Each structure stands twice: as structure tokens, then as C-alpha cells.
Amino acid sequence: MRVSWVTDDRNVPSIVEYGTSPGRYTSSAKGSHTSYRYAMYQSGAIHHVTIGPLKPSTIYYYRCGKVGDEDFRLKTPPAQLPIEFVVIGDLGQTDWTKSTLSHIDALDYDLLLLPGDLSYADMYQPYWDTFGRLVEPQASTRPWMVTEGNHDMEANHQDDKIAFLAYNKRWLMPHEDNNSKSNLYYSFDVAGGAAHVVMLGSYAGFKQGSEQYAWLKNDLANVDRQRTSWLLVVLHTPWYNTNEAHQGEGEDMRVAMERLLYDARVDIVFAGHVHAYERFTRIYDNQADSRGPMYITIGDGGNREGLASNFIEDHKSSRLSVFRQASFGHGRLSIVNATSAVWRWHCNDDDNATVADEVWLESLASTKPTSLVAARRSRYP
């Protein structure tokens, strides 16, 4: 795992001490730090240290920079199924964000997926610092795997390194481990390779001939579905969307890449961007298809812009939309075994997280994929 943190003091060493007992650090690892300047803002020292190898399903206590007597604590993911994912998009830093994070605190999960729009900094750099402090209680205890959103962008630059300067410096993902040339898209295995997760970049080049397209084609070609039972994709801008908000913005990427996902038998595609929840049936090229991915929009983590409440009743994709609701919340994917998983969407209902949508699904790694079975329908329209 990579541990990242920020200090005002640039003399703090980029060292993480860790062990399996509180206050007893039997191992240590050294990394490096970086910083950046944007207009009048100068960041602190951004430290990145990779620790391990670590044992699966194990709690580790750790200390950053050889300072302080307070242990942080993390739990490593399991080496085999079952595994639990939490999925939240478009977090921001509002009271609704705090409500969503408090509901996540009550869950026993293994790994968090975030499909873009983290801090809603929108070029105001101090918001990256306040966001880091806000999510530290959760992000210090479980792996957070993220991809970029439009509110993580500095400006409309052609150069990804400038457009996502703060994001790339602060949220360093393991893209080099799988031959990706960009921090904006990458992939990783969990549960001993039983699940493969692809994090795509909606704001990196994606058409045929682009580096991301070539990388995705190669990455999916190397997935052995005899070994990898579950194949998940996470991106920011949804390819299917019946909400008035951001209507059609993912269409070009869908046209360019959808066939790659279909041929690889991707099981689920998670997206954010639209501040509401929507679940579609399995789809390929705007038609219901039992061999296509299930598409889920979950851009309802918090954010300061509010909810996207207007769905288009006569939209061409409405017949494919199984469930939709404009509420804040989070999702949870429980992969039970090589063939079965359950997806639940929890909406923020006062102090509680209420399960409003639930569905069991079968892995498309099987030779005869079956249609989805809805286990619960919400009382909401």
C-alpha cells in the first residue's frame, strides 16, 4: 500500500513505520516527497511512501514521518473472495458529505472506489488541504482508489499534467504498475486476482489512436476470465444517463470504448458526475443485452451544487433504466464468490443510511450469463 500525507514542515522525513501491534513498529519504509505551486499558492510537502509486502486481511498500525505518538490504523484487503467495495462519487465538503462519510464509518468494508470529483477545489488550492483533513479518518484506514473528475481540474489545459496538477501530486495512484503512462487511468487486482478493477480517465484522450485506448485494449486482453471472475470499470462521466444534468456528455467515450468493455465481458460500470443515483440493466449499444455491463451512476456523495432532480421521462434510455432517484448516498458491492454478487445503494435518510435499491447479479465470466434479478424496489418514484 502507498501511504500519502502532507506536512507544512519540509524537513519531516518521508518515512512510515508500521507493525501489527499498537505503537510497536517492526518495519519501516522510506519514500519521497514533492510539492507544487499554483498561482500564489504553495503546497506543503506531499509525502508518498509504499509499505509492504503486507499480509492480507490484517490490521496494521503505522506512524508517518517519525512524529507523534498516535497510531494510524489500516486494514488490508483479503487475498480471496468474498470482498466488500464501497462506492461513492462527487464527494465535496458539505454537511451531506459528512453524512455520507459517517454512514461509511459504520460499514465493515475492504476498499473504496471513487469515480471522480473529490475535493471540488475548482482551482482554489486550500480546498485540497481541507478535503484531505475531512476524509483522513476514512482514507487512512482503507485503500481509496480514485479517478479524476471535472471539478478536480485546474483549468482547460491540453496537457494533463497541468490540468490535473494538484490531483496528480496529491492522489498518486499505481498507474505505473500496469504500464499506464498517466495517473488519470490505471487498473489493479484484488482478492488474489478474482476481481480486476479498471479506472478510466474521462478527461484523458480516449478515442482510437489515443494512449488510453491502446492501454485499455491491452489491459483487458490480459485479463484471464478463468482466473478473474469479476471485471469492474470506474469512470467519471456516465455513458448512459436519463437525467437532464450532463446529458450526452459521455457519448463520445461510449462510442469509442464500449465495444472493448463488451468483448471483455465487463460486469459493472460505475460513474459519477450526475448528482443522483441511477441503475440500468445490462446494456450494449443502447439495447438491453445479457452479455453487457450493468451501468450505475452514483454521483451523489455530497458536493456543493445540490442534487440533479430532473429525469427525462421519454429519454431513449428510459426503458433501460431500472431505478433512479435524486438523493445523496453511497453504494456497496459485496462479491460473495466467483459467480454471485449483491449491489446495494444506501440513500442518506436523516441519521441513517437506508437501503433503497438492491440487486443480485451473476458474473459474466460464466458461459451463460443470466439476466438480473431485482431483490428490492424502492418506495420512492
Side-chain angles (χ1 to χ4, degrees), residues 32-48:
S32 61
H33 71 266
T34 185
S35 62
Y36 70 94
R37 179 178 291 278
Y38 188 86
M40 300 298 292
Y41 174 86
Q42 174 64 54
S43 77
I46 304 167
H47 305 264
H48 298 294

PDB file of all heavy atoms in Angstrom, residues 32-48:
ATOM      1  N   SER A  32       9.423   9.406  -0.783  1.00  0.00           N
ATOM      2  CA  SER A  32       9.882  10.724  -1.229  1.00  0.00           C
ATOM      3  C   SER A  32       8.756  11.726  -1.042  1.00  0.00           C
ATOM      4  O   SER A  32       7.621  11.353  -0.727  1.00  0.00           O
ATOM      5  CB  SER A  32      10.305  10.669  -2.696  1.00  0.00           C
ATOM      6  OG  SER A  32       9.204  10.295  -3.514  1.00  0.00           O
ATOM      7  N   HIS A  33       9.083  12.986  -1.222  1.00  0.00           N
ATOM      8  CA  HIS A  33       8.041  13.998  -1.165  1.00  0.00           C
ATOM      9  C   HIS A  33       8.172  14.944  -2.336  1.00  0.00           C
ATOM     10  O   HIS A  33       9.231  15.064  -2.958  1.00  0.00           O
ATOM     11  CB  HIS A  33       8.073  14.770   0.170  1.00  0.00           C
ATOM     12  CG  HIS A  33       9.249  15.690   0.310  1.00  0.00           C
ATOM     13  ND1 HIS A  33      10.421  15.322   0.929  1.00  0.00           N
ATOM     14  CD2 HIS A  33       9.418  16.983  -0.078  1.00  0.00           C
ATOM     15  CE1 HIS A  33      11.263  16.336   0.923  1.00  0.00           C
ATOM     16  NE2 HIS A  33      10.683  17.359   0.309  1.00  0.00           N
ATOM     17  N   THR A  34       7.076  15.594  -2.642  1.00  0.00           N
ATOM     18  CA  THR A  34       7.027  16.542  -3.737  1.00  0.00           C
ATOM     19  C   THR A  34       6.204  17.736  -3.287  1.00  0.00           C
ATOM     20  O   THR A  34       5.685  17.768  -2.162  1.00  0.00           O
ATOM     21  CB  THR A  34       6.414  15.887  -4.992  1.00  0.00           C
ATOM     22  OG1 THR A  34       6.473  16.804  -6.095  1.00  0.00           O
ATOM     23  CG2 THR A  34       4.956  15.504  -4.762  1.00  0.00           C
ATOM     24  N   SER A  35       6.070  18.730  -4.131  1.00  0.00           N
ATOM     25  CA  SER A  35       5.233  19.889  -3.844  1.00  0.00           C
ATOM     26  C   SER A  35       4.892  20.552  -5.176  1.00  0.00           C
ATOM     27  O   SER A  35       5.389  20.151  -6.233  1.00  0.00           O
ATOM     28  CB  SER A  35       5.957  20.886  -2.926  1.00  0.00           C
ATOM     29  OG  SER A  35       7.127  21.390  -3.557  1.00  0.00           O
ATOM     30  N   TYR A  36       4.048  21.548  -5.125  1.00  0.00           N
ATOM     31  CA  TYR A  36       3.711  22.263  -6.366  1.00  0.00           C
ATOM     32  C   TYR A  36       3.284  23.682  -6.024  1.00  0.00           C
ATOM     33  O   TYR A  36       2.896  23.991  -4.893  1.00  0.00           O
ATOM     34  CB  TYR A  36       2.604  21.541  -7.131  1.00  0.00           C
ATOM     35  CG  TYR A  36       1.240  21.604  -6.471  1.00  0.00           C
ATOM     36  CD1 TYR A  36       0.311  22.587  -6.800  1.00  0.00           C
ATOM     37  CD2 TYR A  36       0.871  20.665  -5.497  1.00  0.00           C
ATOM     38  CE1 TYR A  36      -0.925  22.638  -6.197  1.00  0.00           C
ATOM     39  CE2 TYR A  36      -0.360  20.710  -4.883  1.00  0.00           C
ATOM     40  CZ  TYR A  36      -1.268  21.712  -5.240  1.00  0.00           C
ATOM     41  OH  TYR A  36      -2.493  21.768  -4.627  1.00  0.00           O
ATOM     42  N   ARG A  37       3.369  24.537  -7.025  1.00  0.00           N
ATOM     43  CA  ARG A  37       2.902  25.921  -6.899  1.00  0.00           C
ATOM     44  C   ARG A  37       1.813  26.168  -7.930  1.00  0.00           C
ATOM     45  O   ARG A  37       1.928  25.734  -9.086  1.00  0.00           O
ATOM     46  CB  ARG A  37       4.051  26.902  -7.101  1.00  0.00           C
ATOM     47  CG  ARG A  37       3.615  28.377  -7.003  1.00  0.00           C
ATOM     48  CD  ARG A  37       4.792  29.317  -7.160  1.00  0.00           C
ATOM     49  NE  ARG A  37       5.688  29.237  -6.018  1.00  0.00           N
ATOM     50  CZ  ARG A  37       5.503  29.879  -4.873  1.00  0.00           C
ATOM     51  NH1 ARG A  37       4.439  30.651  -4.716  1.00  0.00           N
ATOM     52  NH2 ARG A  37       6.368  29.764  -3.905  1.00  0.00           N
ATOM     53  N   TYR A  38       0.745  26.834  -7.504  1.00  0.00           N
ATOM     54  CA  TYR A  38      -0.321  27.216  -8.431  1.00  0.00           C
ATOM     55  C   TYR A  38      -0.722  28.644  -8.109  1.00  0.00           C
ATOM     56  O   TYR A  38      -1.227  28.927  -7.022  1.00  0.00           O
ATOM     57  CB  TYR A  38      -1.530  26.290  -8.296  1.00  0.00           C
ATOM     58  CG  TYR A  38      -2.571  26.533  -9.365  1.00  0.00           C
ATOM     59  CD1 TYR A  38      -2.480  25.914 -10.603  1.00  0.00           C
ATOM     60  CD2 TYR A  38      -3.636  27.395  -9.128  1.00  0.00           C
ATOM     61  CE1 TYR A  38      -3.428  26.133 -11.582  1.00  0.00           C
ATOM     62  CE2 TYR A  38      -4.594  27.620 -10.106  1.00  0.00           C
ATOM     63  CZ  TYR A  38      -4.484  26.996 -11.321  1.00  0.00           C
ATOM     64  OH  TYR A  38      -5.424  27.231 -12.301  1.00  0.00           O
ATOM     65  N   ALA A  39      -0.442  29.556  -9.037  1.00  0.00           N
ATOM     66  CA  ALA A  39      -0.658  30.984  -8.818  1.00  0.00           C
ATOM     67  C   ALA A  39       0.085  31.404  -7.549  1.00  0.00           C
ATOM     68  O   ALA A  39       1.282  31.200  -7.450  1.00  0.00           O
ATOM     69  CB  ALA A  39      -2.143  31.305  -8.754  1.00  0.00           C
ATOM     70  N   MET A  40      -0.602  31.918  -6.541  1.00  0.00           N
ATOM     71  CA  MET A  40       0.050  32.370  -5.312  1.00  0.00           C
ATOM     72  C   MET A  40       0.129  31.276  -4.259  1.00  0.00           C
ATOM     73  O   MET A  40       0.694  31.479  -3.185  1.00  0.00           O
ATOM     74  CB  MET A  40      -0.713  33.572  -4.732  1.00  0.00           C
ATOM     75  CG  MET A  40      -0.770  34.772  -5.666  1.00  0.00           C
ATOM     76  SD  MET A  40       0.879  35.423  -6.044  1.00  0.00           S
ATOM     77  CE  MET A  40       1.343  36.063  -4.439  1.00  0.00           C
ATOM     78  N   TYR A  41      -0.416  30.113  -4.558  1.00  0.00           N
ATOM     79  CA  TYR A  41      -0.465  29.038  -3.578  1.00  0.00           C
ATOM     80  C   TYR A  41       0.774  28.168  -3.677  1.00  0.00           C
ATOM     81  O   TYR A  41       1.193  27.771  -4.770  1.00  0.00           O
ATOM     82  CB  TYR A  41      -1.713  28.182  -3.804  1.00  0.00           C
ATOM     83  CG  TYR A  41      -1.788  26.953  -2.918  1.00  0.00           C
ATOM     84  CD1 TYR A  41      -2.341  27.024  -1.647  1.00  0.00           C
ATOM     85  CD2 TYR A  41      -1.294  25.722  -3.365  1.00  0.00           C
ATOM     86  CE1 TYR A  41      -2.415  25.900  -0.832  1.00  0.00           C
ATOM     87  CE2 TYR A  41      -1.365  24.592  -2.561  1.00  0.00           C
ATOM     88  CZ  TYR A  41      -1.921  24.687  -1.295  1.00  0.00           C
ATOM     89  OH  TYR A  41      -1.993  23.573  -0.501  1.00  0.00           O
ATOM     90  N   GLN A  42       1.345  27.831  -2.526  1.00  0.00           N
ATOM     91  CA  GLN A  42       2.449  26.885  -2.453  1.00  0.00           C
ATOM     92  C   GLN A  42       2.036  25.739  -1.537  1.00  0.00           C
ATOM     93  O   GLN A  42       1.696  25.955  -0.370  1.00  0.00           O
ATOM     94  CB  GLN A  42       3.715  27.550  -1.900  1.00  0.00           C
ATOM     95  CG  GLN A  42       4.871  26.589  -1.669  1.00  0.00           C
ATOM     96  CD  GLN A  42       5.400  25.951  -2.954  1.00  0.00           C
ATOM     97  OE1 GLN A  42       5.751  26.654  -3.900  1.00  0.00           O
ATOM     98  NE2 GLN A  42       5.446  24.628  -2.977  1.00  0.00           N
ATOM     99  N   SER A  43       2.054  24.538  -2.068  1.00  0.00           N
ATOM    100  CA  SER A  43       1.623  23.396  -1.267  1.00  0.00           C
ATOM    101  C   SER A  43       2.655  23.074  -0.197  1.00  0.00           C
ATOM    102  O   SER A  43       3.813  23.495  -0.260  1.00  0.00           O
ATOM    103  CB  SER A  43       1.417  22.173  -2.161  1.00  0.00           C
ATOM    104  OG  SER A  43       2.661  21.599  -2.520  1.00  0.00           O
ATOM    105  N   GLY A  44       2.236  22.286   0.771  1.00  0.00           N
ATOM    106  CA  GLY A  44       3.175  21.723   1.714  1.00  0.00           C
ATOM    107  C   GLY A  44       3.928  20.581   1.058  1.00  0.00           C
ATOM    108  O   GLY A  44       3.833  20.355  -0.151  1.00  0.00           O
ATOM    109  N   ALA A  45       4.713  19.869   1.847  1.00  0.00           N
ATOM    110  CA  ALA A  45       5.422  18.695   1.347  1.00  0.00           C
ATOM    111  C   ALA A  45       4.437  17.531   1.261  1.00  0.00           C
ATOM    112  O   ALA A  45       3.801  17.175   2.254  1.00  0.00           O
ATOM    113  CB  ALA A  45       6.587  18.344   2.258  1.00  0.00           C
ATOM    114  N   ILE A  46       4.295  16.982   0.077  1.00  0.00           N
ATOM    115  CA  ILE A  46       3.367  15.875  -0.155  1.00  0.00           C
ATOM    116  C   ILE A  46       4.180  14.589  -0.176  1.00  0.00           C
ATOM    117  O   ILE A  46       4.950  14.335  -1.098  1.00  0.00           O
ATOM    118  CB  ILE A  46       2.610  16.067  -1.479  1.00  0.00           C
ATOM    119  CG1 ILE A  46       1.892  17.424  -1.483  1.00  0.00           C
ATOM    120  CG2 ILE A  46       1.614  14.927  -1.693  1.00  0.00           C
ATOM    121  CD1 ILE A  46       1.384  17.841  -2.845  1.00  0.00           C
ATOM    122  N   HIS A  47       4.020  13.783   0.848  1.00  0.00           N
ATOM    123  CA  HIS A  47       4.823  12.574   1.026  1.00  0.00           C
ATOM    124  C   HIS A  47       4.099  11.353   0.447  1.00  0.00           C
ATOM    125  O   HIS A  47       2.884  11.209   0.625  1.00  0.00           O
ATOM    126  CB  HIS A  47       5.097  12.318   2.514  1.00  0.00           C
ATOM    127  CG  HIS A  47       5.736  13.462   3.218  1.00  0.00           C
ATOM    128  ND1 HIS A  47       7.096  13.561   3.406  1.00  0.00           N
ATOM    129  CD2 HIS A  47       5.189  14.571   3.797  1.00  0.00           C
ATOM    130  CE1 HIS A  47       7.372  14.668   4.074  1.00  0.00           C
ATOM    131  NE2 HIS A  47       6.232  15.302   4.319  1.00  0.00           N
ATOM    132  N   HIS A  48       4.846  10.477  -0.208  1.00  0.00           N
ATOM    133  CA  HIS A  48       4.317   9.209  -0.709  1.00  0.00           C
ATOM    134  C   HIS A  48       5.299   8.103  -0.326  1.00  0.00           C
ATOM    135  O   HIS A  48       6.470   8.142  -0.720  1.00  0.00           O
ATOM    136  CB  HIS A  48       4.152   9.231  -2.227  1.00  0.00           C
ATOM    137  CG  HIS A  48       3.191  10.260  -2.733  1.00  0.00           C
ATOM    138  ND1 HIS A  48       1.840  10.208  -2.472  1.00  0.00           N
ATOM    139  CD2 HIS A  48       3.396  11.374  -3.494  1.00  0.00           C
ATOM    140  CE1 HIS A  48       1.246  11.249  -3.045  1.00  0.00           C
ATOM    141  NE2 HIS A  48       2.170  11.966  -3.666  1.00  0.00           N
TER     142      HIS A  48
END
